[in-house]
Amino acid sequence: MNFLTARYDPWLVLTSVWIASLASYVALDLAKRVRGPDLQVARIWWVAGSLAMGTGIWSMHFTGMLAFSLSGVALGYTLPATVLSWIAGVAVSGVALAVASRGRLGFRRLATGSIAMALGICAMHYIGMAALDMAPGVVWDPLIVAASAAIALAASAAALSIFFWLRTVSQRHGLWMQALAALAMGLAISGMHYTGMAAVSFPEGSVCLSATQLSADRLGATVIVASVLLLAATQFTSVLDARMQGKANRLAQSLREANAKLRSAFEELKKHAFIDVLTGLPNRVLFEDRLAHAVARCSRADRRHADAARAASRLAVLFVDLDGFKPVNDSLGHAAGDIVLKQVATRLLHEVRSADTVARIGGDEFVLLVEDLTSADAALALADRLVRRLAQPFDVLHTQVELSASIGTVVYPDQGNAAKLVAHADAAMYAAKRAGGNTHALFESHMTAGADAQMALLHDLRHAAERGELHLYYQPKIEGRRGAVSGVEALLRWNHPTRGPVSPAEFIPIAERFGLIGGIGNWVIDEACRQMRAWWADGLHLRVAVNLSVHQLRQEDLVQRIRDALVRNDISPARLTCEITESAAMDDLEATRRAFEKLVHSGVQLSIDDFGTGHSSLAYLRSLPATQLKIDRSFVQDIGGESGAIVDAVVRLAHALGLRVVAEGVETEDQRDRLLALGCDELQGFLFARPMAPDALAQWLRQSQAAPAAAEPIGSRPTSMMAT
Ligand code: C2E
Ligand code: MG
Ligand code: MG
């Protein structure tokens, strides 16, 4: 049998290879899209990509067919087969993209993917061939058909492998590699097509029955242009999408980073909100939360086991406050103070069980929550252990620091109100402090009984000065050997409208705690100076001492106020003495030193009050420019006992430091004699006179033998001092 000669238009063959390569290039790009993180977007790309890529491959086939001509035979295609071949092309692309979208390409996936693709390509090609309705029928060469199928399989496997291999290529080389790979795939697909074409022969005299349906010439150009446009549009969209995805990815990445930063900042914040930064212990907020939970647990257990488990359902709150921490902070510096606090935290943690909570809620204030106690005694035993443990010296920057602690304990439900456990432990701690510190106390209801009364007192105290309820009483100081009055101490009195006289020992601490002492202190200074001037006018030239609180020492304008009061009343500064209790002086040594220096500079005399109660050393006080030291009443009361030796030592040391010594609270002649024998310079106490109102004092002075013999002007003459 003779066959018709088949001819190929080389330009159209080249165009078909180019279209196959373009379709491959677009396909490789699409493979990345269908792997995108957004599932919805990936699906859309899969459908659109399959359509574009399928159309591309199919159009390659169509172009290949266009390149083909049979001498003298007009060719055309049947519509159904043409459409079916297009569907096959799209299906092949769908399979290819679906396989490419997977994470890994194992052998099985490669094999099944390649076979499915090869089948699809063959189907597309041979259905496309079948669209040529020839009469008589074409003659097939089965070997070449098999070869074309093998090429389709190899091309598919290569294409899939290339999809995956391209993922590993760096971004920079990616485009070139993609172009090369697309060319190789284009050649393979075209190779399959033309091999398939070589498998058919057309007997001489064949006619194409479908020539009148879809004319190859007319349709060909349209299909080529349309499919190239479609591929180009797809590629363009793909690149655009890649850019946007890139941007979105970068955005998502920076969002993730910002989120991570935010999260860590939030964690840090959360930590700060609940943790004390210095010691790493829980702070008040976390402590109160744990306490609330513990109380709830405790109450539940209490209800459930009315008797049996009651014993084990107790909890205790221990309030720990260090005694004398502030002087350590002031003298050794804050760094040393911090070290002490950390060591305290460690010691506390060491003494409790891991389930218990140790928190720091203020400068030197710690609270402990101890659960599952069998008895209040267990809590007291712990408090006792803690007191002893904290009394052991601290090793701070190669210095041994000795401190002690006052601890208040409250046991729930034995004592009191669940909502006030910390406040009650605090009240018990104050009771321990009042008892001299370095000890612990169990809460008792009377410890807070005064709290409400205190508030009422505070309310009244705010208006006491303006309502004229405050007065100054004056108590003489007696010059030791000659028994003459060396001056008077102004002592504040509050005549409460309903309660009568209120002791300064009661209301001064309240005034100090609630910030009223500044105003009251200023009133005392003004009133004492006014009184001094009034006495002078009466011929009584008295030196007056006023008591200053530590809060006044911190007032910026204290010295100016004192100066103003002195000038206003034309009084020499040397006639005024300021008494500061030793403990107040030690409380804020820096503030004391600064204030003392300014006061001394303005000519005022300074006295350390209640000496012996503040646990300071004389050497420490030497740095303060005081001229007088008042030995506390407690030593005077015990002068016949151990205190005798102490007072002896204090007097000697004070004299060596150039300080005059005043003994306070002298009540008996025996005390007077002993104190004088020990060398005290001045005495003050009920033995000589109680604090008196100004008029009473003036009368007492006139009647008393101790009254000054001669009047001296008190204004601006520093040397004028009564009875000395
Ligand atoms: P202080 O400065 O040590 O005053 C001496 C206290 O001892 C006075 O108590 C006085 O009445 C009392 N006293 C004097 N002689 C004897 C005695 O022989 N036996 C006994 N048992 N007591 C004696 P007062 O007036 O109750 O004052 C108590 C404290 O209140 C004062 O102690 C002082 O620290 C403070 N204070 C008084 N007035 C003021 C003031 O105007 N401002 C400040 N900041 N504190 C003041
Ligand atoms: Mg005093
Ligand atoms: Mg005193």
Side-chain angles (χ1 to χ4, degrees):
M1 190 191 284
N2 282 333
F3 294 99
L4 289 171
T5 324
R7 255 197 305 268
Y8 289 93
D9 178 333
W11 287 111
L12 282 172
V13 169
L14 268 181
T15 307
S16 74
V17 173
W18 178 72
I19 289 179
S21 303
L22 180 62
S24 303
Y25 187 88
V26 174
L28 290 173
D29 230 50
L30 292 176
K32 296 177 202 159
R33 300 283 85 80
V34 294
R35 275 200 322 268
D38 188 333
L39 212 68
Q40 188 96 20
V41 174
R43 259 195 214 134
I44 292 172
W45 271 116
W46 179 66
V47 173
S50 304
L51 282 172
M53 188 180 149
T55 308
I57 296 173
W58 173 78
S59 143
M60 175 268 141
H61 167 82
F62 216 95
T63 315
M65 292 306 287
L66 211 62
F68 171 79
S69 62
L70 278 176
S71 41
V73 183
L75 296 174
Y77 307 97
T78 59
L79 187 65
T82 306
V83 171
L84 216 63
S85 74
W86 175 78
I87 291 173
V90 172
V92 168
S93 307
V95 172
L97 287 179
V99 175
S101 70
R102 298 299 151 90
R104 278 182 54 232
L105 183 70
F107 177 75
R108 272 183 56 186
R109 181 166 294 152
L110 177 65
T112 47
S114 307
I115 290 169
M117 272 178 76
L119 282 175
I121 290 172
C122 289
M124 183 203 74
H125 178 76
Y126 289 108
I127 294 170
M129 288 295 289
L132 271 179
D133 190 4
M134 301 303 286
V138 295
V139 178
W140 294 95
D141 180 337
L143 262 180
I144 303 183
V145 169
S148 78
I151 291 176
L153 186 65
S156 302
L160 285 180
S161 307
I162 287 169
F163 274 142
F164 282 87
W165 168 74
L166 269 184
R167 286 187 197 175
T168 61
V169 176
S170 75
Q171 190 82 28
R172 203 148 57 87
H173 298 122
L175 282 184
W176 281 108
M177 289 297 174
Q178 190 175 330
L180 273 176
L183 190 63
M185 280 166 69
L187 281 170
I189 294 169
S190 314
M192 182 269 147
H193 173 81
Y194 291 108
T195 315
M197 289 300 284
V200 272
S201 304
F202 299 87
E204 255 182 1
S206 291
V207 284
C208 180
L209 299 178
S210 51
T212 53
Q213 294 194 21
L214 292 172
S215 145
D217 291 345
R218 255 188 299 126
L219 209 66
T222 327
V223 165
I224 294 170
V225 171
S227 62
V228 166
L229 278 179
L230 179 66
L231 284 171
T234 310
Q235 177 62 19
F236 176 73
T237 323
S238 169
V239 169
L240 208 70
D241 183 57
R243 289 248 168 100
M244 276 166 51
Q245 283 286 320
K247 240 187 207 166
N249 283 347
R250 278 196 299 281
L251 246 158
Q253 179 62 23
S254 54
L255 246 171
R256 265 196 299 277
E257 281 168 15
N259 255 333
K261 270 187 205 150
L262 249 169
R263 213 171 305 125
S264 79
F266 182 66
E267 287 301 317
E268 195 64 13
L269 252 174
K270 228 165 63 181
K271 216 172 104 186
H272 278 237
F274 298 118
I275 299 290
D276 166 51
V277 181
L278 177 67
T279 58
L281 293 177
N283 62 11
R284 184 187 282 272
V285 179
L286 184 53
F287 180 85
E288 281 181 350
D289 183 60
R290 290 201 185 159
L291 180 60
H293 282 107
V295 166
R297 272 195 300 276
C298 208
S299 314
R300 265 202 308 275
D302 217 27
R303 275 197 301 275
R304 249 185 274 137
H305 317 279
D307 301 310
R310 198 188 182 100
S313 62
R314 285 190 172 87
L315 65 83
V317 173
L318 283 82
F319 199 110
V320 181
D321 188 284
L322 301 179
D323 307 323
F325 173 72
K326 206 157 186 322
V328 170
N329 221 16
D330 290 341
S331 56
L332 298 179
H334 287 273
D338 287 353
I339 294 174
V340 169
L341 291 173
K342 282 188 202 164
Q343 290 185 17
V344 169
T346 312
R347 289 187 191 183
L348 293 176
L349 284 171
H350 195 255
E351 292 297 328
V352 299
R353 296 164 302 183
S354 58
D356 299 331
T357 300
V358 178
R360 176 167 171 247
I361 58 168
D364 60 348
E365 292 172 340
F366 296 82
V367 276
L368 282 75
L369 166 63
V370 187
E371 288 186 75
D372 297 328
L373 285 172
T374 45
S375 69
D377 288 346
L380 292 180
L382 172 64
D384 198 51
R385 243 180 12 250
L386 291 176
V387 166
R388 274 185 283 126
R389 189 79 183 85
L390 294 175
Q392 284 164 13
F394 292 85
D395 199 5
V396 181
L397 308 171
H398 311 296
T399 311
Q400 295 255 303
V401 174
E402 294 207 10
L403 285 174
S404 60
S406 301
I407 301 181
T409 304
V410 61
V411 178
Y412 179 83
D414 307 39
Q415 298 155 324
N417 193 331
K420 290 191 172 169
L421 289 176
V422 176
H424 288 173
D426 185 23
M429 182 280 291
Y430 263 104
K433 262 225 163 110
R434 276 197 297 274
N438 195 22
T439 186
H440 62 95
L442 184 64
F443 174 72
E444 287 167 30
S445 53
H446 69 81
M447 289 173 180
T448 53
D452 294 343
Q454 259 194 14
M455 285 298 119
L457 211 59
L458 174 68
H459 178 259
D460 296 341
L461 190 56
R462 284 185 200 283
H463 311 286
E466 70 206 43
R467 287 179 186 156
E469 294 164 9
L470 296 181
H471 308 279
L472 284 182
Y473 271 36
Y474 297 88
Q475 184 181 35
K477 290 180 189 173
I478 310 298
E479 207 269 338
R481 272 158 295 141
R482 290 171 46 197
V485 173
S486 58
V488 292
E489 177 180 5
L491 293 161
L492 192 55
R493 295 290 176 265
W494 178 17
N495 210 357
H496 191 276
T498 53
R499 295 179 49 171
V502 183
S503 160
E506 194 177 343
F507 71 83
I508 295 271
I510 299 178
E512 285 182 337
R513 237 169 112 190
F514 296 98
L516 299 182
I517 194 68
I520 293 177
N522 289 339
W523 179 86
V524 169
I525 292 165
D526 290 345
E527 174 59 16
C529 290
R530 191 200 59 76
Q531 186 60 58
M532 232 193 289
R533 166 55 46 188
W535 276 326
W536 183 77
D538 279 355
L540 290 173
H541 305 133
L542 287 166
R543 164 190 290 283
V544 175
V546 292
N547 292 283
L548 295 183
S549 108
V550 66
H551 294 264
Q552 286 177 276
L553 293 181
R554 295 201 193 105
Q555 280 177 348
E556 278 303 314
D557 62 345
L558 171 72
V559 178
Q560 193 53 47
R561 274 194 154 268
I562 291 177
R563 271 202 209 129
D564 289 350
L566 291 167
V567 169
R568 203 164 43 241
N569 294 290
D570 187 25
I571 298 165
S572 158
R575 305 224 123 247
L576 183 74
T577 301
C578 292
E579 295 188 7
I580 291 102
T581 63
E582 183 199 11
S583 53
M586 299 310 299
D587 193 44
D588 195 342
L589 204 66
E590 261 323 296
T592 308
R593 206 195 309 274
R594 274 199 305 273
F596 269 36
E597 263 151 25
K598 280 201 238 165
L599 286 169
V600 161
H601 190 70
S602 64
V604 172
Q605 302 286 308
L606 297 170
S607 169
I608 306 287
D609 205 351
D610 298 352
F611 184 78
T613 56
H615 311 288
S616 64
S617 69
L618 261 179
Y620 218 33
L621 294 175
R622 217 176 90 186
S623 61
L624 298 174
T627 51
Q628 189 181 73
L629 190 145
K630 296 179 84 176
I631 297 178
D632 190 63
R633 196 166 72 223
S634 55
F635 294 94
V636 173
Q637 272 167 357
D638 183 43
I639 193 77
E642 276 178 5
S643 299
I646 298 174
V647 173
D648 185 28
V650 168
V651 172
R652 284 170 199 276
L653 266 165
H655 283 165
L657 293 172
L659 297 164
R660 284 175 68 79
V661 179
V662 181
E664 295 185 292
V666 185
E667 292 179 352
T668 65
E669 288 175 355
D670 177 56
Q671 287 167 352
R672 177 195 63 193
D673 297 342
R674 285 174 190 268
L675 288 161
L676 288 178
L678 289 172
C680 282
D681 302 294
E682 293 171 37
L683 305 175
Q684 184 183 355
F686 294 170
L687 175 66
F688 307 101
R690 289 185 174 259
M692 292 171 276
D695 291 348
L697 180 88
Q699 207 177 352
W700 178 85
L701 276 173
R702 289 199 178 95
Q703 286 167 2
S704 154
Q705 288 184 344
E712 279 179 70
I714 59 169
S716 23
R717 269 203 265 154
T719 47
S720 59
M721 187 166 164
M722 190 160 41
T724 44

